[in-house]
Amino acid sequence: MRTPEGVTVTLVRGDITRQSADVIVNAANSSLLGGGGVDGAIHRRGGPEILAACRELRASRYGKGLRTGQAVATTAGALDAQWVVHTVGPVWSSSEDRSALLASCYRESLRVAAESGARTVAFPAISTGIYGWPMDDGARIALRTVLEVAAPPVTEVRFVLFDAQAYAEFEEALEALEAQG
Ligand code: ADP
């Protein structure tokens, strides 16, 4: 689908570290020093340059780490991208509504990507893995936020969904949004 600003939103199934895009977004944790899931895969395939850049961030502007909902860019190392934008999703909570923080991850990542001059941005489904966010709700928040805020120079936002269930949930959420007009 196309956003009001003319940005194309696409869904693909696959491994985000195999994508070619100006920006690959990492579902990082606040330490910026690596973890499991997407984070582990990005550092494995992207090589040591990304971790070195993250260490530099920790030694300078981000001494206490990156806060939940914020985003920061580094080199993409050996990935087929110009930058990795690291963002920290909220851990799912059944007792507290943290949706604004999840929306902030998408908004801030797009802001940082646009500042870098990126045209194509690949996102994973932030917080829906180790951080436990239900996929259907995570998909709705991701798509709604991108629809609202994506703008040039970004021309394409691609969601890279790891498995069939994630892809199906995003497809359903996208169709629901389209039906709403
Ligand atoms: P979080 O800690 O924010 O939950 P995870 O990396 O654990 O982040 O998971 C986020 C989502 O990314 C999950 O839906 C997970 O299945 C998916 N995922 C894991 N590895 C990859 C990958 N290599 N490419 C794309 N998506 C992935």
Side-chain angles (χ1 to χ4, degrees):
M1 87 179 295
R2 305 246 295 177
T3 75
E5 293 278 349
V7 179
T8 305
V9 178
T10 54
L11 309 180
V12 303
R13 194 177 153 187
D15 177 344
I16 198 165
T17 67
R18 301 279 188 185
Q19 293 288 310
S20 165
D22 292 329
V23 162
I24 290 177
V25 177
N26 181 17
N29 59 57
S30 64
S31 80
L32 288 176
L33 300 179
V38 173
D39 202 3
I42 282 179
H43 285 289
R44 263 195 311 278
R45 195 173 300 276
E49 260 186 75
I50 303 175
L51 190 57
C54 287
R55 288 217 173 92
E56 268 174 40
L57 289 172
R58 285 299 306 271
S60 54
R61 248 188 91 186
Y62 296 94
K64 291 184 180 160
L66 184 64
R67 294 217 310 271
T68 305
Q70 303 292 100
V72 66
T74 67
T75 172
L79 297 178
D80 190 5
Q82 313 250 18
W83 303 279
V84 168
V85 169
H86 307 262
T87 188
V88 182
V91 174
W92 163 258
S93 160
S94 56
S95 58
E96 189 188 8
D97 181 7
R98 300 178 177 165
S99 325
L101 285 169
L102 185 54
S104 173
C105 288
Y106 290 100
R107 194 173 53 243
E108 288 300 303
S109 296
L110 283 170
R111 189 178 61 74
V112 170
E115 267 174 23
S116 308
R119 288 152 48 95
T120 52
V121 181
F123 275 107
I126 299 164
S127 286
T128 64
I130 296 160
Y131 283 180
W133 208 286
M135 189 60 79
D136 56 348
D137 196 53
R140 270 195 301 272
I141 293 168
L143 289 164
R144 234 189 259 144
T145 308
V146 164
L147 207 67
E148 237 174 66
V149 307
V154 173
T155 57
E156 185 200 347
V157 173
R158 191 185 316 150
F159 287 97
V160 185
L161 293 326
F162 207 41
D163 56 33
Q165 190 230 338
Y167 187 88
E169 299 282 11
F170 268 74
E171 217 175 20
E172 198 175 308
L174 190 59
E175 280 163 14
L177 274 175
E178 277 171 336
Q180 278 170 28

CSV table of all heavy atoms in Angstrom, one decimal, residues 122-168:
chain,number,residue,atom,x,y,z
A,122,ALA,N,14.1,-1.4,6.0
A,122,ALA,CA,13.6,-2.7,6.4
A,122,ALA,C,13.5,-2.8,7.9
A,122,ALA,O,14.4,-2.6,8.6
A,122,ALA,CB,14.5,-3.8,5.8
A,123,PHE,N,12.3,-3.2,8.3
A,123,PHE,CA,12.0,-3.3,9.8
A,123,PHE,C,11.7,-4.8,10.1
A,123,PHE,O,10.9,-5.4,9.3
A,123,PHE,CB,10.7,-2.6,10.1
A,123,PHE,CG,10.8,-1.1,10.4
A,123,PHE,CD1,10.4,-0.2,9.5
A,123,PHE,CD2,11.3,-0.7,11.6
A,123,PHE,CE1,10.5,1.2,9.8
A,123,PHE,CE2,11.4,0.7,11.9
A,123,PHE,CZ,11.0,1.6,11.0
A,124,PRO,N,12.1,-5.3,11.2
A,124,PRO,CA,11.5,-6.5,11.8
A,124,PRO,C,10.3,-6.1,12.6
A,124,PRO,O,10.0,-5.0,12.8
A,124,PRO,CB,12.7,-7.0,12.7
A,124,PRO,CG,13.2,-5.7,13.3
A,124,PRO,CD,13.1,-4.7,12.2
A,125,ALA,N,9.6,-7.2,13.1
A,125,ALA,CA,8.4,-6.9,14.0
A,125,ALA,C,9.0,-6.7,15.4
A,125,ALA,O,9.1,-7.7,16.2
A,125,ALA,CB,7.5,-8.1,13.9
A,126,ILE,N,9.3,-5.5,15.7
A,126,ILE,CA,9.9,-5.1,16.9
A,126,ILE,C,9.1,-5.6,18.2
A,126,ILE,O,7.8,-5.4,18.1
A,126,ILE,CB,10.1,-3.6,17.0
A,126,ILE,CG1,11.0,-3.1,15.9
A,126,ILE,CG2,10.7,-3.1,18.4
A,126,ILE,CD1,11.0,-1.6,15.6
A,127,SER,N,9.8,-6.1,19.1
A,127,SER,CA,9.2,-6.5,20.4
A,127,SER,C,8.4,-7.8,20.4
A,127,SER,O,7.9,-8.3,21.4
A,127,SER,CB,8.3,-5.4,21.1
A,127,SER,OG,9.1,-4.4,21.6
A,128,THR,N,8.2,-8.4,19.2
A,128,THR,CA,7.3,-9.5,19.1
A,128,THR,C,8.0,-10.9,19.3
A,128,THR,O,7.4,-11.9,19.2
A,128,THR,CB,6.6,-9.6,17.7
A,128,THR,OG1,7.6,-9.8,16.7
A,128,THR,CG2,5.8,-8.4,17.5
A,129,GLY,N,9.3,-10.8,19.6
A,129,GLY,CA,10.1,-12.0,19.9
A,129,GLY,C,10.3,-12.2,21.4
A,129,GLY,O,9.4,-12.4,22.1
A,130,ILE,N,11.5,-12.1,21.8
A,130,ILE,CA,11.9,-12.3,23.1
A,130,ILE,C,11.1,-11.3,24.1
A,130,ILE,O,10.8,-11.7,25.2
A,130,ILE,CB,13.5,-12.0,23.3
A,130,ILE,CG1,14.2,-13.1,22.5
A,130,ILE,CG2,13.9,-12.0,24.7
A,130,ILE,CD1,15.7,-12.7,22.1
A,131,TYR,N,10.8,-10.1,23.6
A,131,TYR,CA,10.0,-9.2,24.4
A,131,TYR,C,8.5,-9.4,24.5
A,131,TYR,O,7.8,-8.7,25.2
A,131,TYR,CB,10.3,-7.7,23.9
A,131,TYR,CG,11.7,-7.2,24.4
A,131,TYR,CD1,12.1,-6.0,24.0
A,131,TYR,CD2,12.6,-8.0,25.1
A,131,TYR,CE1,13.4,-5.5,24.4
A,131,TYR,CE2,13.8,-7.6,25.5
A,131,TYR,CZ,14.2,-6.3,25.1
A,131,TYR,OH,15.5,-5.8,25.5
A,132,GLY,N,8.0,-10.5,23.8
A,132,GLY,CA,6.7,-11.0,24.1
A,132,GLY,C,5.5,-10.3,23.6
A,132,GLY,O,4.4,-10.6,24.0
A,133,TRP,N,5.6,-9.3,22.8
A,133,TRP,CA,4.4,-8.5,22.3
A,133,TRP,C,3.6,-9.4,21.4
A,133,TRP,O,4.1,-10.0,20.5
A,133,TRP,CB,4.9,-7.3,21.5
A,133,TRP,CG,3.9,-6.2,21.6
A,133,TRP,CD1,2.6,-6.2,21.0
A,133,TRP,CD2,3.9,-5.0,22.5
A,133,TRP,NE1,2.0,-5.0,21.4
A,133,TRP,CE2,2.7,-4.3,22.3
A,133,TRP,CE3,4.9,-4.5,23.3
A,133,TRP,CZ2,2.5,-3.1,22.9
A,133,TRP,CZ3,4.6,-3.3,24.0
A,133,TRP,CH2,3.4,-2.6,23.8
A,134,PRO,N,2.3,-9.5,21.6
A,134,PRO,CA,1.4,-10.3,20.7
A,134,PRO,C,1.5,-9.8,19.2
A,134,PRO,O,1.5,-8.6,19.0
A,134,PRO,CB,0.0,-10.1,21.2
A,134,PRO,CG,0.2,-9.6,22.6
A,134,PRO,CD,1.5,-8.8,22.7
A,135,MET,N,1.7,-10.7,18.3
A,135,MET,CA,2.0,-10.4,16.9
A,135,MET,C,0.9,-9.5,16.3
A,135,MET,O,1.2,-8.6,15.6
A,135,MET,CB,2.2,-11.6,16.1
A,135,MET,CG,2.8,-11.4,14.7
A,135,MET,SD,4.4,-10.5,14.7
A,135,MET,CE,5.5,-11.9,15.0
A,136,ASP,N,-0.4,-9.8,16.6
A,136,ASP,CA,-1.4,-9.1,15.9
A,136,ASP,C,-1.4,-7.6,16.3
A,136,ASP,O,-1.5,-6.7,15.5
A,136,ASP,CB,-2.8,-9.7,16.2
A,136,ASP,CG,-3.2,-9.9,17.6
A,136,ASP,OD1,-2.3,-9.7,18.5
A,136,ASP,OD2,-4.3,-10.2,17.9
A,137,ASP,N,-1.2,-7.4,17.6
A,137,ASP,CA,-1.2,-6.0,18.1
A,137,ASP,C,0.1,-5.3,17.7
A,137,ASP,O,0.1,-4.1,17.3
A,137,ASP,CB,-1.3,-6.0,19.6
A,137,ASP,CG,-1.6,-4.6,20.2
A,137,ASP,OD1,-2.6,-4.0,19.7
A,137,ASP,OD2,-0.9,-4.1,21.0
A,138,GLY,N,1.2,-6.0,17.7
A,138,GLY,CA,2.5,-5.5,17.2
A,138,GLY,C,2.4,-5.1,15.8
A,138,GLY,O,3.0,-4.0,15.4
A,139,ALA,N,1.7,-5.8,15.0
A,139,ALA,CA,1.6,-5.5,13.5
A,139,ALA,C,0.7,-4.3,13.4
A,139,ALA,O,1.1,-3.4,12.6
A,139,ALA,CB,0.9,-6.7,12.8
A,140,ARG,N,-0.4,-4.2,14.1
A,140,ARG,CA,-1.3,-3.0,14.0
A,140,ARG,C,-0.5,-1.7,14.3
A,140,ARG,O,-0.6,-0.7,13.6
A,140,ARG,CB,-2.5,-3.1,15.0
A,140,ARG,CG,-3.7,-3.8,14.4
A,140,ARG,CD,-4.9,-3.6,15.2
A,140,ARG,NE,-4.8,-4.1,16.6
A,140,ARG,CZ,-5.1,-5.3,17.0
A,140,ARG,NH1,-5.5,-6.2,16.1
A,140,ARG,NH2,-4.9,-5.7,18.2
A,141,ILE,N,0.2,-1.8,15.4
A,141,ILE,CA,1.0,-0.6,15.9
A,141,ILE,C,2.0,-0.2,14.8
A,141,ILE,O,2.2,1.0,14.5
A,141,ILE,CB,1.6,-0.8,17.3
A,141,ILE,CG1,0.5,-0.9,18.3
A,141,ILE,CG2,2.6,0.3,17.6
A,141,ILE,CD1,1.0,-1.4,19.7
A,142,ALA,N,2.8,-1.2,14.3
A,142,ALA,CA,3.8,-1.0,13.4
A,142,ALA,C,3.3,-0.3,12.1
A,142,ALA,O,3.8,0.7,11.7
A,142,ALA,CB,4.5,-2.3,13.0
A,143,LEU,N,2.2,-0.9,11.6
A,143,LEU,CA,1.7,-0.4,10.3
A,143,LEU,C,1.0,1.0,10.5
A,143,LEU,O,1.2,1.9,9.7
A,143,LEU,CB,0.7,-1.4,9.7
A,143,LEU,CG,1.3,-2.7,9.2
A,143,LEU,CD1,0.3,-3.8,9.0
A,143,LEU,CD2,2.1,-2.4,7.9
A,144,ARG,N,0.3,1.1,11.6
A,144,ARG,CA,-0.4,2.4,11.8
A,144,ARG,C,0.6,3.6,11.9
A,144,ARG,O,0.5,4.6,11.4
A,144,ARG,CB,-1.2,2.3,13.1
A,144,ARG,CG,-2.7,2.7,13.0
A,144,ARG,CD,-3.3,2.8,14.3
A,144,ARG,NE,-4.1,1.6,14.6
A,144,ARG,CZ,-4.2,1.1,15.8
A,144,ARG,NH1,-3.5,1.6,16.9
A,144,ARG,NH2,-4.9,0.1,16.0
A,145,THR,N,1.7,3.3,12.7
A,145,THR,CA,2.7,4.3,12.9
A,145,THR,C,3.4,4.7,11.6
A,145,THR,O,3.6,5.8,11.3
A,145,THR,CB,3.7,3.8,13.9
A,145,THR,OG1,3.0,3.4,15.1
A,145,THR,CG2,4.7,5.0,14.3
A,146,VAL,N,3.8,3.6,10.8
A,146,VAL,CA,4.5,3.9,9.6
A,146,VAL,C,3.6,4.7,8.6
A,146,VAL,O,4.0,5.6,7.9
A,146,VAL,CB,5.0,2.5,9.0
A,146,VAL,CG1,5.3,2.7,7.5
A,146,VAL,CG2,6.1,2.0,9.8
A,147,LEU,N,2.3,4.3,8.6
A,147,LEU,CA,1.4,5.0,7.7
A,147,LEU,C,1.3,6.5,8.1
A,147,LEU,O,1.2,7.3,7.2
A,147,LEU,CB,0.0,4.3,7.9
A,147,LEU,CG,-1.0,4.4,6.8
A,147,LEU,CD1,-0.4,3.6,5.6
A,147,LEU,CD2,-2.3,3.9,7.2
A,148,GLU,N,1.4,6.7,9.3
A,148,GLU,CA,1.2,8.1,9.8
A,148,GLU,C,2.5,8.9,9.6
A,148,GLU,O,2.4,10.1,9.3
A,148,GLU,CB,1.1,8.0,11.4
A,148,GLU,CG,-0.2,8.7,11.9
A,148,GLU,CD,-0.2,8.4,13.4
A,148,GLU,OE1,0.7,8.8,14.2
A,148,GLU,OE2,-1.1,7.6,13.8
A,149,VAL,N,3.7,8.3,9.8
A,149,VAL,CA,4.9,9.2,9.8
A,149,VAL,C,5.9,9.0,8.7
A,149,VAL,O,6.7,9.9,8.5
A,149,VAL,CB,5.6,9.0,11.2
A,149,VAL,CG1,4.7,9.2,12.4
A,149,VAL,CG2,6.3,7.7,11.3
A,150,ALA,N,5.8,7.9,7.9
A,150,ALA,CA,6.8,7.7,6.8
A,150,ALA,C,6.6,8.8,5.8
A,150,ALA,O,5.5,9.2,5.4
A,150,ALA,CB,6.6,6.4,6.2
A,151,ALA,N,7.8,9.4,5.4
A,151,ALA,CA,7.8,10.5,4.5
A,151,ALA,C,9.1,10.6,3.7
A,151,ALA,O,10.1,10.0,4.2
A,151,ALA,CB,7.5,11.8,5.2
A,152,PRO,N,9.1,11.3,2.6
A,152,PRO,CA,10.4,11.4,1.9
A,152,PRO,C,11.5,12.0,2.8
A,152,PRO,O,11.1,12.8,3.7
A,152,PRO,CB,10.1,12.4,0.7
A,152,PRO,CG,8.6,12.2,0.5
A,152,PRO,CD,8.0,11.9,1.9
A,153,PRO,N,12.8,11.7,2.6
A,153,PRO,CA,13.3,10.9,1.4
A,153,PRO,C,13.0,9.4,1.4
A,153,PRO,O,13.4,8.8,0.5
A,153,PRO,CB,14.8,11.1,1.6
A,153,PRO,CG,15.0,11.3,3.1
A,153,PRO,CD,13.8,12.0,3.6
A,154,VAL,N,12.4,8.9,2.5
A,154,VAL,CA,12.1,7.5,2.5
A,154,VAL,C,11.0,7.2,1.4
A,154,VAL,O,10.0,8.0,1.3
A,154,VAL,CB,11.6,7.0,3.9
A,154,VAL,CG1,11.1,5.6,3.8
A,154,VAL,CG2,12.7,7.2,4.9
A,155,THR,N,11.2,6.2,0.6
A,155,THR,CA,10.2,5.9,-0.5
A,155,THR,C,9.6,4.5,-0.3
A,155,THR,O,8.6,4.2,-0.8
A,155,THR,CB,10.9,5.9,-1.9
A,155,THR,OG1,12.0,4.9,-1.9
A,155,THR,CG2,11.4,7.2,-2.3
A,156,GLU,N,10.4,3.6,0.5
A,156,GLU,CA,9.8,2.3,0.8
A,156,GLU,C,10.1,1.9,2.2
A,156,GLU,O,11.2,2.0,2.7
A,156,GLU,CB,10.4,1.3,-0.2
A,156,GLU,CG,9.8,-0.1,0.0
A,156,GLU,CD,10.7,-1.3,-0.6
A,156,GLU,OE1,11.6,-1.0,-1.3
A,156,GLU,OE2,10.3,-2.4,-0.2
A,157,VAL,N,9.1,1.4,2.9
A,157,VAL,CA,9.2,0.7,4.2
A,157,VAL,C,8.8,-0.7,4.0
A,157,VAL,O,7.7,-1.0,3.5
A,157,VAL,CB,8.3,1.4,5.2
A,157,VAL,CG1,8.4,0.6,6.5
A,157,VAL,CG2,8.8,2.8,5.5
A,158,ARG,N,9.8,-1.6,4.3
A,158,ARG,CA,9.5,-3.0,4.1
A,158,ARG,C,9.6,-3.7,5.4
A,158,ARG,O,10.5,-3.6,6.2
A,158,ARG,CB,10.7,-3.5,3.2
A,158,ARG,CG,10.5,-4.9,2.7
A,158,ARG,CD,11.8,-5.4,1.9
A,158,ARG,NE,12.3,-4.3,1.0
A,158,ARG,CZ,13.6,-4.2,0.7
A,158,ARG,NH1,14.5,-5.0,1.2
A,158,ARG,NH2,13.9,-3.2,-0.1
A,159,PHE,N,8.5,-4.5,5.7
A,159,PHE,CA,8.5,-5.3,6.9
A,159,PHE,C,9.0,-6.7,6.6
A,159,PHE,O,8.4,-7.3,5.7
A,159,PHE,CB,7.1,-5.3,7.5
A,159,PHE,CG,6.7,-4.0,8.2
A,159,PHE,CD1,5.9,-3.1,7.5
A,159,PHE,CD2,7.1,-3.7,9.5
A,159,PHE,CE1,5.6,-1.9,8.1
A,159,PHE,CE2,6.8,-2.5,10.1
A,159,PHE,CZ,6.0,-1.6,9.4
A,160,VAL,N,10.0,-7.1,7.3
A,160,VAL,CA,10.6,-8.4,7.0
A,160,VAL,C,10.1,-9.4,8.1
A,160,VAL,O,10.6,-9.3,9.2
A,160,VAL,CB,12.1,-8.4,6.9
A,160,VAL,CG1,12.7,-9.7,6.5
A,160,VAL,CG2,12.5,-7.3,5.9
A,161,LEU,N,9.2,-10.3,7.8
A,161,LEU,CA,8.6,-11.1,8.8
A,161,LEU,C,9.2,-12.5,8.7
A,161,LEU,O,9.3,-13.1,7.6
A,161,LEU,CB,7.1,-11.2,8.5
A,161,LEU,CG,6.3,-9.9,8.8
A,161,LEU,CD1,6.9,-9.1,9.9
A,161,LEU,CD2,6.1,-9.1,7.5
A,162,PHE,N,9.6,-13.0,9.9
A,162,PHE,CA,10.4,-14.2,9.9
A,162,PHE,C,9.7,-15.5,9.7
A,162,PHE,O,10.2,-16.4,9.1
A,162,PHE,CB,11.0,-14.3,11.3
A,162,PHE,CG,12.3,-15.0,11.4
A,162,PHE,CD1,13.3,-14.8,10.4
A,162,PHE,CD2,12.6,-15.8,12.5
A,162,PHE,CE1,14.5,-15.5,10.5
A,162,PHE,CE2,13.8,-16.5,12.6
A,162,PHE,CZ,14.8,-16.3,11.6
A,163,ASP,N,8.4,-15.5,10.0
A,163,ASP,CA,7.7,-16.8,9.8
A,163,ASP,C,6.3,-16.6,9.2
A,163,ASP,O,5.8,-15.4,9.1
A,163,ASP,CB,7.6,-17.6,11.1
A,163,ASP,CG,7.0,-16.9,12.2
A,163,ASP,OD1,6.1,-16.1,12.0
A,163,ASP,OD2,7.4,-17.1,13.4
A,164,ALA,N,5.6,-17.7,8.9
A,164,ALA,CA,4.3,-17.6,8.2
A,164,ALA,C,3.3,-16.9,9.1
A,164,ALA,O,2.5,-16.1,8.6
A,164,ALA,CB,3.9,-19.0,7.9
A,165,GLN,N,3.3,-17.1,10.4
A,165,GLN,CA,2.3,-16.5,11.3
A,165,GLN,C,2.5,-15.0,11.3
A,165,GLN,O,1.5,-14.2,11.2
A,165,GLN,CB,2.4,-17.1,12.7
A,165,GLN,CG,1.3,-16.7,13.6
A,165,GLN,CD,1.7,-16.1,14.9
A,165,GLN,OE1,2.9,-16.4,15.4
A,165,GLN,NE2,0.9,-15.4,15.6
A,166,ALA,N,3.8,-14.6,11.4
A,166,ALA,CA,4.0,-13.1,11.5
A,166,ALA,C,3.6,-12.5,10.2
A,166,ALA,O,2.9,-11.4,10.2
A,166,ALA,CB,5.5,-12.9,11.7
A,167,TYR,N,3.9,-13.1,9.1
A,167,TYR,CA,3.5,-12.6,7.8
A,167,TYR,C,2.0,-12.5,7.7
A,167,TYR,O,1.4,-11.4,7.2
A,167,TYR,CB,4.0,-13.5,6.6
A,167,TYR,CG,3.8,-12.9,5.3
A,167,TYR,CD1,4.7,-12.0,4.7
A,167,TYR,CD2,2.6,-13.1,4.6
A,167,TYR,CE1,4.5,-11.4,3.5
A,167,TYR,CE2,2.4,-12.6,3.3
A,167,TYR,CZ,3.3,-11.7,2.8
A,167,TYR,OH,3.0,-11.1,1.6
A,168,ALA,N,1.3,-13.5,8.1
A,168,ALA,CA,-0.2,-13.5,8.1
A,168,ALA,C,-0.8,-12.4,8.9
A,168,ALA,O,-1.8,-11.8,8.5
A,168,ALA,CB,-0.7,-14.9,8.5
